[in-house]
Amino acid sequence: MALVFWFGMALLLFVLLPAKSDDIPAGAHSTECHDCYFVMAVDVSFTGEELHFEAVDETGVYPITQKYSAECGYTVSVLPLTGQVELRASYFSCHTDNKDDEVFTFNFNLISNHEGKEVTYAVNKTCTHSLPWSPREVTCENNYMEVSVRSEVACPSGEMSDDWHAENPNKASAASDWQVMFHRADEQLKPMNLSVARKQGYLFDLTDRRIVFRTAYGQPHSSSLEVNGVPVEVIHATLFSRQSWVFIIVDLVASCSMHEGSYDSGYMVWETPDLLNPLVSGLTNTQVNIGVGGELVQQPAAEESGFIVEKHDGKVEISIPYNAEGGYRKSFVSGGLHEFYVFNLYLEQIFVNKDLEETRLRFHRTLATPMLPLQVFTVNQTVVEEHTFTVYLGDVPEDIELSAVELNGHKCIAPFKNTSGHTVIEVFYPNNTHGYTLKVPFDDPVVIKKFSKEDEAMKHILEVNYTLTVLPENEPFFHLASVMALSDITPPEFDAVCSESGIIFKLDHRPFDYLWHISIGSDLLTPELATQHGYIMTNDSQSLLLEVPLFTHGYEYKDICLKGFTGTFEILVKDRETSEVLSSAVKTCQFTASEFIVCSTDGKMTVVADLSLASPSGEIPARSNLLNMYCGPKDADDTRALFSFPLNSCGSTVKLVKERVTYQNEIFYSKRHFSESKAASEPTTERLIVQCMYPLAGLHRLFSVYKFEADTAGVGKIIRTSQSTAESQQTTTVKPTTETTPAAKRTTRALAVFKPAFHPTALYIRVYPFQKHLSMIKGLKGASQTKLNPAQI
Ligand SMILES: *[C@@H]1O[C@H](CO)[C@@H](O)[C@H](O)[C@H]1NC(C)=O
Ligand SMILES: *[C@@H]1O[C@H](CO)[C@@H](O)[C@H](O)[C@H]1NC(C)=O
Ligand SMILES: *[C@@H]1O[C@H](CO)[C@@H](O)[C@H](O)[C@H]1NC(C)=O
Ligand SMILES: *[C@@H]1O[C@H](CO)[C@@H](O)[C@H](O)[C@H]1NC(C)=O
Ligand SMILES: *[C@@H]1O[C@H](CO)[C@@H](O)[C@H](O)[C@H]1NC(C)=O
Ligand SMILES: *[C@@H]1O[C@H](CO)[C@@H](O)[C@H](O)[C@H]1NC(C)=O
Ligand SMILES: *[C@@H]1O[C@H](CO)[C@@H](O)[C@H](O)[C@H]1NC(C)=O
């Protein structure tokens, strides 16, 4: 369909105008003389798309229409691929001034339409025929067949000559009776006189020494045959005249291969029979000359330029390389990207008969390949070390340009600017292709980044959607490319050190840190979270320092014994997009403390209590016990006892206050009083209150599956009764499920000794043996004012 359009443009319109001629600027057109025809080429860009020709001679101005050009020996071709219109005129064309069949002068008007304004340019050219004419010359033009034969007809009388120009009524003469008889296959058709033949589109002419016959293709008197497998159109006319006692017969035959050409692996193949006329034998084909770039060259020279000439099975087969000089290509979008090639083949075959009389047969053929799939390609030229994607798009034909690229869906339209970080650089090659190099840095916002756990590297992904535009139609075509690169960016690794009071994590910032999230459990680490949990965070441009004090949220305690315990804290590094945990920094430190309490998530209270603190001497830690007197310490030394028991056992009480569940027990221990007055006194009983508090919301499993499993560790407290007052609390007492009644009485007593000033939130823990009891209380007050949950002293 496209081809029909291109070649259909040869149909030209005509508007007759008063002759007013301008000069065509040099360079916009060229006129050349060839072996038997004249060529004028004009740039369409100069003339505009609407353009036509007129032939001019002394008798008038003759518009060259499609029909007229075939009858009179003119050929107009539009070469859209070069942007030119070409006019070829046979030396024997109707309005050529012919001097002795040697010097031919052409006068043309070229009429162009500039924005509705007609402009006429007059062109003239004189050509000299340098070669001697062969006895018979046949031309198979794109639009007509022409035969000229050497005429032995002496032409003394004016009347006879007049008869040839019978279309001119003034010159009509009845003195002679030239008739023409056409032959079709074996059939002889009814003879007609020349003026009738002319009306039917057959033109006969008599020049100085030659008789010329011309006809368009597909006329009623021609026949289409197949000769040696090649379609051929043959026109065979016999001219005869009786003049006085002489009877003259001239046989005129033109036989033209109508082969349309076929495309085969890079070659356009065209065929013609190896004989001039299927009806006439005795001629041998001696030579094939091929027009390369407009000039005929002999077979060996043509073969050097890549043409292949083969004679077999009674035909000559010409193979034209797809990139032959004088060929044109065009890209096309139709389903996918395609291209086709157009060749203007000019071919000459020379035949001789046994008397060595020459016949030259010339072909002008415009051949087009079918739509051929066209491939552009992309290569991944990424060098990971450059941290930049480099994608090369190559083999882009010259009539295709890159008009936009879409990078992961972000569109950039030509002309491409360097400002946005990515660049597009165009490269041109001598083989009329060009390419584009696209560079996109890995850290460009358009690049998709994903951490790949199995590769232990950062995966950068770039999907490119190229918009290629075929010119001049501006038809878009999309080419996709996808590149991926792994860069050995690993998730950050924290340095962690133990301190006396906690763990210190340190992270040096790197340029890729925007790729991760740092979190504690499920919480994203932010300055707000740090403040809320009592972490001390310092974040500057160089590094992030996170100090996690002991007993703050997130710790896990193990190996609790009188000597101390281990505390473990974990920081998670997560993928920013998927929240997948990529790595973690886990640090376990050994801590020592003379007194502490740990409330585990699985419902265990573990206490190390210093029983010497209340009274400096005389206590017996090993003999201490809980509310349930059968619950004794797991371990003890001279001053301290270690208890570890399920929260709701050993006589613990449970209270619900303000959405918090508090498990409470007491440590009883005997104390001997040594006084000067009494040698020995009865041992008195002292006690410590121990508490674990859990937010009620975190204990949902307790109410669904009756299993203690807190979301977070509880907050523990050790309260010394010596500081308590008798003030009572507004509390609800919940009986522990497994506890027995004797505890209830003592619970009530225990409640009575709370001191409200530091009750609500503070964690009461003795971490440092050197710290004084009172200073701890001060710290706790401050913490409770800022509504903090656990506070460390
Ligand atoms: C041919 O054209 C030239 C200029 O291009 C002009 O000088 C000359 O007169 C023309 N000849 C004829 C016969 O029109
Ligand atoms: C040609 O033949 C036609 C019809 O046969 C006739 O009318 C016409 O006059 C003839 N012309 C000449 C020039 O003989
Ligand atoms: C973009 O940068 C490249 C090299 O970095 C340069 O060759 C090209 O001319 C620049 N293009 C524009 C439009 O500035
Ligand atoms: C054109 O030339 C370039 C550079 O030499 C080459 O990479 C490319 O393959 C060539 N393309 C074609 C279609 O020949
Ligand atoms: C490529 O871009 C064009 C135009 O934006 C769009 O129509 C087409 O769907 C895109 N192709 C793909 C595979 O995304
Ligand atoms: C592209 O090139 C990079 C770097 O050489 C390589 O890692 C990657 O696997 C290549 N392939 C694709 C499809 O991106
Ligand atoms: C630390 O500061 C950097 C900027 O300097 C910021 O990108 C990063 O998110 C901060 N980290 C935290 C945990 O707030």
Side-chain angles (χ1 to χ4, degrees):
M1 28 131 218
L3 294 185
V4 171
F5 168 72
W6 296 117
F7 303 126
M9 276 176 72
L11 225 170
L12 297 175
L13 297 169
F14 164 71
V15 177
L16 188 61
L17 272 188
K20 190 253 161 233
S21 359
D22 290 348
D23 286 336
I24 305 189
H29 83 299
S30 65
T31 50
E32 281 176 32
C33 301
H34 285 261
D35 45 7
C36 60
Y37 61 98
F38 153 94
V39 180
M40 174 173 140
V42 196
D43 283 349
V44 177
S45 58
F46 156 70
T47 59
E49 296 280 328
E50 274 181 56
L51 148 90
H52 46 263
F53 298 95
E54 293 166 343
V56 181
D57 65 14
E58 67 274 13
T59 66
V61 174
Y62 302 88
I64 299 177
T65 62
Q66 194 179 19
K67 179 169 181 289
Y68 196 73
S69 62
E71 289 170 359
C72 275
Y74 303 102
T75 306
V76 179
S77 325
V78 181
L79 311 173
L81 311 183
T82 56
Q84 286 188 319
V85 173
E86 191 178 88
L87 169 71
R88 278 197 300 271
S90 161
Y91 281 174
F92 295 121
S93 57
C94 294
H95 306 286
T96 301
D97 181 54
N98 178 345
K99 285 207 171 57
D100 306 328
D101 289 340
E102 262 172 28
V103 180
F104 303 90
T105 302
F106 301 89
N107 286 293
F108 290 99
N109 287 335
L110 186 159
I111 298 144
S112 78
N113 195 328
H114 279 288
E115 290 145 8
K117 194 167 144 258
E118 298 261 4
V119 184
T120 302
Y121 303 96
V123 180
N124 68 57
K125 179 80 176 176
T126 298
C127 294
T128 306
H129 187 66
S130 45
L131 287 169
W133 291 99
S134 296
R136 180 157 56 161
E137 306 221 345
V138 180
T139 299
C140 301
E141 249 293 1
N142 276 344
N143 55 335
Y144 62 82
M145 299 183 271
E146 184 185 87
V147 195
S148 79
V149 294
R150 187 164 61 208
S151 161
E152 304 300 341
V153 183
C155 199
S157 80
E159 293 116 17
M160 181 187 163
S161 181
D162 285 348
D163 193 30
W164 290 90
H165 300 106
E167 69 267 30
N168 188 339
N170 301 330
K171 289 187 177 179
S173 160
S176 60
D177 59 345
W178 277 96
Q179 297 281 307
V180 57
M181 188 171 73
F182 288 100
H183 308 256
R184 203 168 52 194
D186 286 335
E187 188 188 359
Q188 291 190 354
L189 303 171
K190 199 167 154 263
M192 60 180 97
N193 64 28
L194 293 189
S195 58
V196 171
R198 175 71 187 89
K199 282 200 190 81
Q200 297 192 13
Y202 303 103
L203 194 132
F204 295 89
D205 198 6
L206 181 68
T207 69
D208 256 15
R209 286 186 297 274
R210 299 184 77 80
I211 294 173
V212 180
F213 165 51
R214 192 182 307 109
T215 177
Y217 291 104
Q219 283 281 78
H221 299 90
S222 68
S223 42
S224 295
L225 321 168
E226 195 160 289
V227 180
N228 301 338
V230 182
V232 165
E233 181 166 337
V234 182
I235 186 98
H236 182 184
T238 305
L239 269 179
F240 57 91
S241 172
R242 192 196 4 223
Q243 291 172 10
S244 313
W245 62 93
V246 186
F247 197 75
I248 305 168
I249 299 178
V250 183
D251 211 29
L252 298 158
V253 184
S255 164
C256 294
S257 162
M258 302 305 280
H259 192 245
E260 285 180 346
S262 58
Y263 186 77
D264 184 16
S265 29
Y267 285 92
M268 187 83 219
V269 181
W270 188 79
E271 295 173 348
T272 182
D274 196 13
L275 50 142
L276 177 68
N277 179 0
L279 313 171
V280 179
S281 53
L283 287 170
T284 355
N285 181 193
T286 58
Q287 200 179 328
V288 176
N289 300 322
I290 296 173
V292 180
E295 288 302 318
L296 278 177
V297 297
Q298 293 193 351
Q299 187 176 334
E303 283 171 346
E304 259 171 47
S305 321
F307 289 78
I308 301 170
V309 180
E310 282 174 324
K311 293 179 194 174
H312 59 80
D313 302 332
K315 57 193 175 191
V316 181
E317 203 175 86
I318 314 288
S319 299
I320 309 163
Y322 75 95
N323 55 356
E325 203 182 329
Y328 307 101
R329 65 163 298 288
K330 174 87 190 77
S331 304
F332 210 79
V333 179
S334 162
L337 197 52
H338 289 88
E339 64 182 347
F340 63 85
Y341 290 87
V342 175
F343 306 93
N344 290 317
L345 172 68
Y346 183 42
L347 184 78
E348 185 181 66
Q349 272 179 293
I350 300 172
F351 300 87
V352 286
N353 64 10
K354 56 184 185 302
D355 302 324
L356 297 180
E357 277 186 323
E358 249 182 16
T359 298
R360 282 175 192 265
L361 173 58
R362 297 190 184 88
F363 288 97
H364 287 274
R365 284 290 179 258
T366 300
L367 306 172
T369 65
M371 292 288 179
L372 307 169
L374 174 64
Q375 301 291 339
V376 295
F377 68 92
T378 36
V379 216
N380 172 13
Q381 297 180 334
T382 306
V383 177
V384 174
E385 288 70 32
E386 292 174 356
H387 280 279
T388 299
F389 279 116
T390 306
V391 186
Y392 175 73
L393 170 73
D395 271 4
V396 182
E398 57 189 337
D399 61 345
I400 297 185
E401 67 173 26
L402 182 64
S403 56
V405 280
E406 223 173 89
L407 306 170
N408 287 331
H410 300 263
K411 198 157 193 168
C412 314
I413 294 168
F416 303 101
K417 300 202 176 72
N418 283 354
T419 47
S420 49
H422 31 259
T423 59
V424 176
I425 298 162
E426 195 171 358
V427 202
F428 294 92
Y429 297 111
N431 59 13
N432 291 330
T433 67
H434 58 291
Y436 298 90
T437 303
L438 169 73
K439 281 182 180 279
V440 182
F442 288 171
D443 59 1
D444 193 289
V446 302
V447 174
I448 295 171
K449 300 153 195 102
K450 275 192 191 143
F451 186 75
S452 158
K453 225 170 174 181
E454 63 266 32
D455 298 309
E456 293 205 316
M458 182 56 66
K459 200 183 241 180
H460 300 263
I461 299 162
L462 182 65
E463 309 268 350
V464 190
N465 183 347
Y466 292 95
T467 305
L468 293 164
T469 305
V470 176
L471 303 174
E473 310 94 283
N474 280 324
E475 193 71 37
F477 172 76
F478 304 107
H479 180 79
L480 303 175
S482 172
V483 281
M484 184 272 296
L486 292 171
S487 62
D488 53 352
I489 302 169
T490 47
E493 283 184 18
F494 283 88
D495 281 335
V497 290
C498 302
S499 78
E500 248 180 292
S501 57
I503 302 176
I504 300 165
F505 291 93
K506 184 168 184 262
L507 175 71
D508 288 328
H509 288 315
R510 296 178 307 168
F512 306 105
D513 284 349
Y514 61 88
L515 300 168
W516 343 95
H517 273 156
I518 294 166
S519 68
I520 314 291
S522 56
D523 302 321
L524 178 66
L525 177 63
T526 58
E528 294 72 30
L529 185 89
T531 313
Q532 189 193 337
H533 288 329
Y535 310 142
I536 302 155
M537 188 168 98
T538 333
N539 186 18
D540 60 23
S541 58
Q542 299 296 310
S543 58
L544 171 76
L545 202 67
L546 185 71
E547 257 185 271
V548 195
L550 198 53
F551 298 115
T552 52
H553 172 87
Y555 266 103
E556 202 180 292
Y557 307 99
K558 269 192 184 149
D559 306 326
I560 303 165
C561 64
L562 284 171
K563 282 208 194 89
F565 58 92
T566 60
T568 302
F569 198 91
E570 183 176 32
I571 295 183
L572 302 177
V573 176
K574 293 183 176 175
D575 188 289
R576 200 181 192 98
E577 267 147 37
T578 64
S579 288
E580 188 193 358
V581 176
L582 304 175
S583 74
S584 66
V586 185
K587 183 71 179 173
T588 301
C589 297
Q590 181 74 38
F591 295 100
T592 54
S594 61
E595 193 169 68
F596 56 86
I597 177 167
V598 171
C599 306
S600 73
T601 53
D602 60 354
K604 223 174 181 185
M605 191 188 298
T606 306
V607 191
V608 170
D610 188 343
L611 305 182
S612 70
L613 276 173
S615 58
S617 63
E619 69 288 343
I620 310 150
R623 282 205 223 148
S624 54
N625 61 270
L626 298 174
L627 279 173
N628 182 335
M629 59 188 294
Y630 298 110
C631 292
K634 291 264 185 309
D635 198 3
D637 60 13
D638 285 350
T639 55
R640 298 177 308 156
L642 166 73
F643 289 92
S644 185
F645 56 97
L647 283 171
N648 54 3
S649 68
C650 293
S652 297
T653 58
V654 185
K655 285 175 287 170
L656 244 175
V657 185
K658 291 183 184 166
E659 301 292 300
R660 273 185 309 189
V661 182
T662 306
Y663 293 85
Q664 182 170 302
N665 211 316
E666 292 173 33
I667 301 172
F668 293 92
Y669 55 99
S670 301
K671 190 175 178 186
R672 283 189 206 91
H673 292 272
F674 296 96
S675 69
E676 269 124 51
S677 56
K678 295 170 193 171
S681 65
E682 290 211 349
T684 55
T685 304
E686 299 284 327
R687 60 197 177 93
L688 280 179
I689 295 170
V690 288
Q691 284 184 340
C692 276
M693 281 183 298
Y694 293 87
L696 184 59
L699 290 177
H700 47 90
R701 287 177 206 85
L702 185 58
F703 305 104
S704 55
V705 296
Y706 304 108
K707 183 170 180 250
F708 193 99
E709 207 179 304
D711 288 349
T712 55
V715 177
K717 262 195 209 177
I718 300 173
I719 303 164
R720 296 202 134 71
T721 52
S722 54
Q723 291 158 3
S724 62
T725 68
E727 208 174 306
S728 185
Q729 304 271 316
Q730 295 294 318
T731 57
T732 314
T733 304
V734 179
K735 247 194 212 168
T737 45
T738 60
E739 200 42 76
T740 46
T741 20
K745 225 170 110 194
R746 273 179 279 177
T747 301
T748 329
R749 198 181 64 199
L751 282 172
V753 297
F754 275 114
K755 186 177 177 186
F758 60 91
H759 168 257
T761 52
L763 166 70
Y764 188 89
I765 282 182
R766 179 67 184 257
V767 175
Y768 303 115
F770 52 85
Q771 280 185 306
K772 280 268 152 37
H773 196 71
L774 273 174
S775 69
M776 288 190 274
I777 296 163
K778 265 188 200 160
L780 291 171
K781 275 185 182 169
S784 71
Q785 276 159 10
T786 50
K787 287 262 188 305
L788 297 183
N789 223 358
Q792 186 265 332
I793 306 155

